[in-house]
Every structure is written in C-alpha cells, then in structure tokens.
Amino acid sequence: MTAAEDRSPVVAGLLLAAGGGRRLGGRPKALLTHRGRPLVEHAVEVLRGAGCEVVHVVLGASADVVRERAELPGCVLVDNPEWAAGMGSSLRAGLASLAADARGVDAALVLLVDQPGIGVEAVARVRAAYGSRDTLAAASYDGERGHPVLFGAGHWAGIEESAVGDRGARDYLAAHRDAITPVDCSDVAEPYDIDTEADLSHLE
C-alpha cells in the first residue's frame, strides 16, 4: 500500500473569488456583503461546513483589499494576477496551488464566490461523490450541470491545459461527459450568480 492509499483522501475546497464585478461598477465580488460579512467568508464557511478541511482561495481583483478586510484564517490564499483574462486563469492558478500543497490533495471541490444560493448541503453531496483521484462529479439543477464541481487529481493536468478565457473547465467536462457523476442538488440549492445590480437582491 502506498503512502497516498494509507490515509483518508483529501478533498480540498477551491474557491474562485477573483472576479472584478465589472457589471457591478467594479466592486470585487469577494467583498460584496451577505449576511453581514463578505461573500468570500461566507463561501469559505460553506466549504468547511461540507467537510473541506483544506481550502485554497484564488484572489484577483483588489486582492490586497480582500486580504485586509476578509477574515480567512487557515486558508491558502492564491493571487492570480491574470484574473482579468477570465475564470480559466483562476482555475489554473488554484489547481497549481493544490498540486503543491504538502498535505497531498486528491481532489478539488470547486465553488464560485458569487453563488451564495449554493450552501453546505449541496456542496457536501458533491463531495460525497468522491471515489478516487479519477473522479469527476458535478452538481445538477433540473438536469443542467452547475457548481460545485469535483475534479479528481488525475484530471488536473488536462483541465489546466484546456482552461482558457471564461470557459473554465467547460471544454474538458464536455469532452469527458460520460465520466461525470451528476449529483442532483435541485432540492437544496439555487445556482444563481451575482453578476448585475439586479442580482444584488439575492444577497441578505
């Protein structure tokens, strides 16, 4: 038995929180207030509540301000200076950071900071789909794939290679559609995004 097999698998939370909120007047999404605190704090708590002891957070827009204002103890904060190029750059930065984590991460559970309608129960369901480093799983909402998404470490190199612009892992997942385990979360979460001024009504 190898050292990697002789331990509990590490499913790490990977929070993508680099967006600049272009359609929100340039307010970084990580610092939007939800339930009395920044969205980034709320999302980290969701990942931890779902069982992710290891959490890496990718920052981009106003990263220094986010570090000052948000309380993220125990998180690995990853700066993505190329955040304006789209989500793909943040995903690549996050996976590279997880690959370098000395705790030996077996899978990344990816959550977006601007989806506060996705809570602990949905994230825990997707996390529970982990079977091996070859696992691919994604939340499903009324038959449509959404977040969070779980990437076993065996897929990271391929995802990093194809993650460009705002497509993130979309192309990789499309090419491996038959390998994805869908996890229905329609009854416990709402996958809306906070993208525009009108969307701010979702925040509490």
Side-chain angles (χ1 to χ4, degrees):
M1 182 176 288
T2 67
E5 294 170 330
D6 193 24
R7 60 169 173 77
S8 297
V10 177
V11 178
L14 178 56
L15 178 62
L16 303 186
R22 180 176 52 83
R23 286 182 285 174
L24 292 166
R27 284 175 285 174
K29 293 184 178 183
L31 291 177
L32 293 175
T33 301
H34 181 58
R35 298 179 181 172
R37 58 185 172 161
L39 265 184
V40 66
E41 291 183 14
H42 170 78
V44 165
E45 184 174 90
V46 167
L47 286 167
R48 289 220 166 105
C52 295
E53 295 181 12
V54 177
V55 178
H56 288 224
V57 181
V58 181
L59 303 177
S62 303
D64 290 342
V65 180
V66 176
R67 285 173 181 269
E68 289 173 10
R69 295 185 185 174
E71 295 184 15
L72 304 169
C75 293
V76 176
L77 303 183
V78 184
D79 285 318
N80 174 23
E82 300 178 4
W83 64 270
M87 188 194 304
S89 64
S90 290
L91 182 56
R92 292 195 307 272
L95 291 177
S97 180
L98 289 176
D101 194 303
R103 289 166 286 193
V105 178
D106 298 290
L109 186 55
V110 182
L111 186 66
L112 307 182
V113 77
D114 67 346
Q115 293 192 319
I118 298 175
V120 171
E121 192 166 356
V123 177
R125 282 187 189 179
V126 178
R127 185 181 183 277
Y130 176 83
S132 74
R133 291 168 68 92
D134 292 323
T135 298
L136 281 178
S140 174
Y141 301 94
D142 298 322
E144 295 292 324
R145 190 176 71 238
H147 284 85
V149 182
L150 188 146
F151 302 129
H155 295 280
W156 293 357
I159 292 170
E160 288 184 61
E161 187 174 333
S162 64
V164 295
D166 265 326
R167 295 190 64 76
R170 209 173 301 167
D171 292 343
Y172 188 87
L173 291 173
H176 296 79
R177 184 178 290 108
D178 293 342
I180 301 171
T181 299
V183 181
D184 185 29
C185 295
S186 306
D187 60 323
V188 293
E190 295 182 76
Y192 53 78
D193 301 309
I194 306 297
D195 281 332
T196 67
E197 292 285 343
D199 297 330
L200 294 175
S201 63
H202 289 299
L203 299 177
E204 299 171 13

